[in-house]
């Protein structure tokens, strides 16, 4: 396990790329931002909007939203700045919602005046697929994440709206690719290809229950020719700048509601309580989770020093939030013991060792981290 010499991002992140100086692709991509003509890209976005803008008042783009900060930023940009008439689509999960999450979800329609479709998976199905994905893959939201891509694209096709607006190109921002494009089509095709229908059908999920994750057919795609785009291509992606903007439009963070363990901010991924468990599961598998993600990003952006980042990672990154875990196990009907027994098999033996019954990063890896 290596850590990026500049930002501390570990190479256990699936798909991560490092150069021969030990610098991660996310840092290299971030540096490239400085040479980008953002004015020019803004013009490109406007041109793209003009291509799809409708004079008859019909919806002219679809924005898949969760209700969070990025959703607010996308709706703000498309509606307020580009003057488009978006249709918002949410694929919900039935985990307990935070108060801020509920208010933010409603705020999108209230502040921006957009129509908004909520697609809720069957709660019984959600519970079963989430249990399967948690127990077998250590990735509880595998099914829901497939639905999050399939449903809005199929709806956009059904409504006859080609332009679909996504937020950040996370492959590029987190450095698992060095190629940047405004089109999200390649990413989405890759996600569609990775949906393994047989996996579910072989685990007593019936054909009737997998509709939400079935990708659109080739014929349908050709008929409407959807154009999914990443906003991060047109606008430099910065959580702190975006936060400043969306707060003026009624977005609420968790500051007055919940201080989450294992996390060092209170405005990202805040909609549902149990979601933190999904994020934390990267820790046993790859030796890092949310605090590392945020700290690395802030180091890259120049708002956090390397030594401060190290301190935060050591103090917080291993922690699983108790409230999130309680919500997760209550909803999925596990006891705490059952939960931890399942986790047991996911601890990556290459990087963790068990010391007095507790899994810890191996001494050699810890020393590697401290060397940076
Ligand atoms: Zn880096």
């Amino acid at each position: 396990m290596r850590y990026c010499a500049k930002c501390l991002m570990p190479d256990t992140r699936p798909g991560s790329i490092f150069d021969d100086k030990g610098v991660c692709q996310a840092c290299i991509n971030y540096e490239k931002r400085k040479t980008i003509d953002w004015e020019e890209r803004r013009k490109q976005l406007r041109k793209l909007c003009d291509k799809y803008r409708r004079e008859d008042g019909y919806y002219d783009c679809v924005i898949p939203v969760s209700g969070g900060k990025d959703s607010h930023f996308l709706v703000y940009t498309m509606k307020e700045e580009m003057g488009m008439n978006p249709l918002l689509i949410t694929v919900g999960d039935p985990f307990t919602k935070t108060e801020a999450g509920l208010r933010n979800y409603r705020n999108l329609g209230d502040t921006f005046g957009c129509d908004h479709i909520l697609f809720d998976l069957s709660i019984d199905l959600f519970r079963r697929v989430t249990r399967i994905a948690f127990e077998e893959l250590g990735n509880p939201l595998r099914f829901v994440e497939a639905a999050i891509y399939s449903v809005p694209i199929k709806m956009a096709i059904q409504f006859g709206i080609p332009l679909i607006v996504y937020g950040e190109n996370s492959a590029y921002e987190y450095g698992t690719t060095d190629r940047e494009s405004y089109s999200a089509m390649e990413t989405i095709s890759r996600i569609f290809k990775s949906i393994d229908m047989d996996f579910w059908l072989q685990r007593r999920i019936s054909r009737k229950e997998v509709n939400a994750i079935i990708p659109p057919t080739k014929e349908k795609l050709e008929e409407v020719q959807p154009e999914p785009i990443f906003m991060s291509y047109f606008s430099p992606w910065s959580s702190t700048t975006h936060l400043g903007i969306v707060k003026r439009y009624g977005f609420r963070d968790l500051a007055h509601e919940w201080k989450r363990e294992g996390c060092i901010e209170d405005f990202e991924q805040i909609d549902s309580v149990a979601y933190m468990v999904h994020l934390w599961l990267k820790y046993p598998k790859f030796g890092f989770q949310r605090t590392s993600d945020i700290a690395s990003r802030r180091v890259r952006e120049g708002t956090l020093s390397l030594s401060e980042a190290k301190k935060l990672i050591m103090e917080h990154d291993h922690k699983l939030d108790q409230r999130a875990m309680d919500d997760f196990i209550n909803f999925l009907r596990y006891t705490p013991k059952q939960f931890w027994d399942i986790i047991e098999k996911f601890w990556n033996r290459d990087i963790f060792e068990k010391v007095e019954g507790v899994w810890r990063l191996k001494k050699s890896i810890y020393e590697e981290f401290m060397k940076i």
Side-chain angles (χ1 to χ4, degrees), residues 351-369:
I351 56 174
F352 285 99
E353 60 188 354
K354 218 172 185 178
V355 181
E356 291 165 9
V358 180
W359 287 99
R360 292 214 177 110
L361 277 176
K362 284 184 178 169
K363 200 165 166 262
S364 56
I365 286 166
Y366 179 73
E367 282 166 1
E368 194 68 35
F369 177 78

Side-chain angles (χ1 to χ4, degrees), residues 91 144-154 166 168 170 187-188 191-192 195 212 216 230:
V91 176
V144 182
E145 284 177 342
I148 282 172
Y149 280 93
S150 291
V151 171
I153 300 237
K154 282 192 287 190
Y166 290 93
E168 87 185 317
S170 44
T187 305
I188 285 166
I191 291 167
F192 285 164
I195 297 173
F230 287 122

Side-chain angles (χ1 to χ4, degrees), residues 4-9 23-24 26-27 300:
C4 170
K6 272 189 158 175
C7 77
L8 294 171
M9 169 117 81
V23 175
C24 78
C27 281
R300 238 172 271 141

Side-chain angles (χ1 to χ4, degrees), residues 29 38 59 81 87 112 134 225 231 244 271 275 344 363:
N29 291 348
W38 292 105
Y59 309 111
E81 294 209 311
L87 174 64
F112 297 105
F134 170 54
Q225 300 199 0
M231 186 59 79
D271 315 320
Y275 192 76
E344 191 66 13
K363 200 165 166 262

